[in-house]
Amino acid sequence: MSRKLRMGMIGGGSGSFIGDVHRKAASIDGLIELVCGAFSSDPEKSIKSGQALYLPENRCYRSYEEMILKEKALSEEERMDFVAIVTPNHMHFSPAKMALEHGFHVVCDKPVTLTLDEALALESIVAKSGKLFALTHNYTGNALVKQARAMVANGDLGTIRKIQVQYLQGWLSTAVESTDNKQAAWRVDPTKSGIGGALGDIGTHAENLVEYVTGLKIDELAADLGVFGEGRVLDDDGNVLLRMSNGAKGTMSISQIALGEENNLAIKVYGTRGSLEWHQENPNQLITHWLNDPIKVYTPNGNNLYPECLNVSRIPAGHPEGYLEAFATIYKNFATHAMAVLAGETIEFPDYPTIDDGVRGMKFIYAAVESNKNNAAWTTLD
């Protein structure tokens, strides 16, 4: 294409953490530009947020409905190509539905919707629309996560037997939701977060990372969830046993009340010939162990990497790549696909999370909550 992909944003106004992350990530590879937005449910705040981002006054909208309708009325040479939805969970479904039905591609934060029924309905809407839908499970964009996935897929580790994954945070160790912390307030509110607390916020990242790296599906789980914060109704801690589609066993530990933890996402995969481990807080090392060989450590743009890893390593070896770069990879791969569609070309296997991953995440949340209600009984995701 001879131009950048044009992005409209829903949510992400002044004071938003994740909106700023999306804007930075989308701009890293120079393929996308923000052209319009409805940045808040407060019309005045939305306008001011757009102006603070130096958008033209006529492209700062008072609501997402106004944005979608007015952008649709513009010429193809001017209107946005897709929307990025960066709102709390309860505001994912309606904007996504309207955008798709009016001919726009969608990038959406995770979990995909407030409820499983909404996720299944959105799955049908995506299929009917023929438009692209990307879900920002951003950690799968990390170069060494892609190296890990390629190694498993290539059979380097042999048959996968055991998986350990954790996502530990401590930021909800105290009742920060009762302060002026909007990020905490909506996450502990079931009307905005859904039936899962930590499950939806970080558990879906752990679930998606397991299935992405191993290429296996979680068939069954047994979940023991905890609600430790006084006055909370949603889980803020949990341990989950996993049974994978090939017979492998897994364990998952998630928490937002693990005092002292910051963003401790990590995965270990054990096979018959080797094993690997990756830690999000040290994302530039993939550590591997082998049956009859020494430990090997892989780094971005280093030696002996698969193309899947090299394709998303942006800078020379030894220069750290982290959270924003991984997030940017989701946008880059989505943009590449969208540009191919606009050019009438075909990409057979676009490498970014889709509506299918969103539905899997919601099934994971619902299965875990159901299992916990039944004293950690084994529960299928389907």
Side-chain angles (χ1 to χ4, degrees):
M1 287 179 60
S2 58
R3 64 171 178 85
K4 294 183 179 182
L5 209 61
R6 296 185 287 262
M7 177 174 77
M9 180 166 280
I10 299 174
S14 299
S16 165
F17 157 69
I18 201 64
D20 194 45
V21 168
H22 275 261
R23 288 188 289 269
K24 288 174 179 174
S27 68
I28 282 178
D29 292 295
L31 301 177
I32 297 169
E33 62 179 334
L34 179 69
V35 298
C36 63
F39 299 100
S40 173
S41 57
D42 179 333
E44 185 176 347
K45 182 179 178 181
S46 179
I47 299 297
K48 288 182 177 179
S49 295
Q51 291 172 340
L53 293 168
Y54 304 102
L55 292 176
E57 187 174 346
N58 66 332
R59 306 294 286 276
C60 301
Y61 297 105
R62 300 171 67 85
S63 68
Y64 75 82
E65 294 96 338
E66 180 189 34
M67 182 180 83
I68 291 170
L69 291 175
K70 287 193 173 180
E71 288 293 314
K72 180 67 174 178
L74 295 175
S75 68
E76 291 186 5
E77 289 72 30
E78 187 178 8
R79 72 169 69 120
M80 65 182 180
D81 296 301
F82 75 97
V83 297
I85 301 173
V86 298
T87 58
N89 306 348
H90 72 297
M91 284 300 297
H92 288 179
F93 176 76
S94 295
K97 177 178 184 293
M98 185 175 181
L100 291 163
E101 290 177 343
H102 283 76
F104 296 108
H105 305 301
V106 172
V107 174
C108 185
D109 253 341
K110 43 53 58 188
V112 67
T113 50
L114 185 70
T115 69
L116 178 56
D117 284 345
E118 284 183 349
L120 294 171
L122 191 59
E123 184 179 39
S124 297
I125 293 166
V126 171
K128 184 178 179 180
S129 73
K131 296 300 174 181
L132 306 184
F133 186 96
L135 193 68
T136 52
H137 278 299
N138 53 289
Y139 299 107
T140 64
N142 189 281
L144 291 178
V145 169
K146 295 192 181 298
Q147 173 69 12
R149 173 181 168 90
M151 292 177 74
V152 173
N154 195 52
D156 296 357
L157 274 59
T159 301
I160 303 305
R161 292 171 165 174
K162 184 177 180 64
I163 302 157
Q164 290 184 317
V165 66
Q166 65 181 42
Y167 202 154
L168 306 175
Q169 299 176 333
W171 72 292
L172 294 182
S173 293
T174 60
V176 293
E177 65 269 23
S178 62
T179 66
D180 192 28
N181 190 320
K182 294 180 180 179
Q183 297 300 319
W186 76 258
R187 282 175 168 82
V188 302
D189 182 351
T191 67
K192 294 179 173 64
S193 182
I195 67 170
L199 269 174
D201 194 25
I202 59 177
T204 51
H205 273 309
E207 166 267 329
N208 183 257
L209 189 64
V210 166
E211 294 197 342
Y212 183 79
V213 169
T214 67
L216 303 172
K217 298 296 184 184
I218 300 171
D219 275 351
E220 294 181 286
L221 58 77
D224 180 21
L225 307 178
V227 184
F228 288 97
E230 185 176 353
R232 291 178 188 159
V233 295
L234 296 178
D235 62 276
D236 51 22
D237 183 82
N239 297 292
V240 187
L241 296 177
L242 309 173
R243 289 175 177 166
M244 306 304 293
S245 52
N246 75 331
K249 308 296 184 182
T251 61
M252 177 187 297
S253 180
I254 59 172
S255 184
Q256 293 181 312
I257 52 87
L259 185 63
E261 296 287 359
E262 294 180 338
N263 201 51
N264 190 356
L265 171 63
I267 186 171
K268 298 181 180 181
V269 180
Y270 300 89
T272 52
R273 292 201 295 269
S275 65
L276 60 80
E277 60 181 288
W278 178 79
H279 300 260
Q280 191 278 149
E281 292 185 340
N282 186 19
N284 294 287
Q285 289 190 343
L286 177 67
I287 301 169
T288 62
H289 302 257
W290 305 98
L291 191 61
N292 296 308
D293 289 308
I295 294 172
K296 297 179 182 177
V297 180
Y298 295 87
T299 59
N301 245 332
N303 296 321
N304 301 316
L305 297 173
Y306 282 102
E308 292 89 337
C309 178
L310 290 171
N311 289 342
V312 298
S313 298
R314 293 175 175 81
I315 48 182
H319 295 73
E321 298 184 55
Y323 178 77
L324 282 176
E325 289 87 353
F327 217 115
T329 295
I330 304 297
Y331 268 104
K332 178 183 179 181
N333 289 352
F334 166 80
T336 301
H337 192 189
M339 287 175 168
V341 169
L342 288 169
E345 301 169 355
T346 300
I347 293 180
E348 190 171 359
F349 297 111
D351 186 11
Y352 58 83
T354 68
I355 186 63
D356 295 337
D357 298 278
V359 171
R360 288 292 297 174
M362 293 306 297
K363 287 183 177 181
F364 165 78
I365 294 170
Y366 273 65
V369 170
E370 182 68 20
S371 172
N372 183 67
K373 287 179 180 178
N374 292 290
N375 197 30
W378 284 102
T379 306
T380 65
L381 267 66
D382 293 316

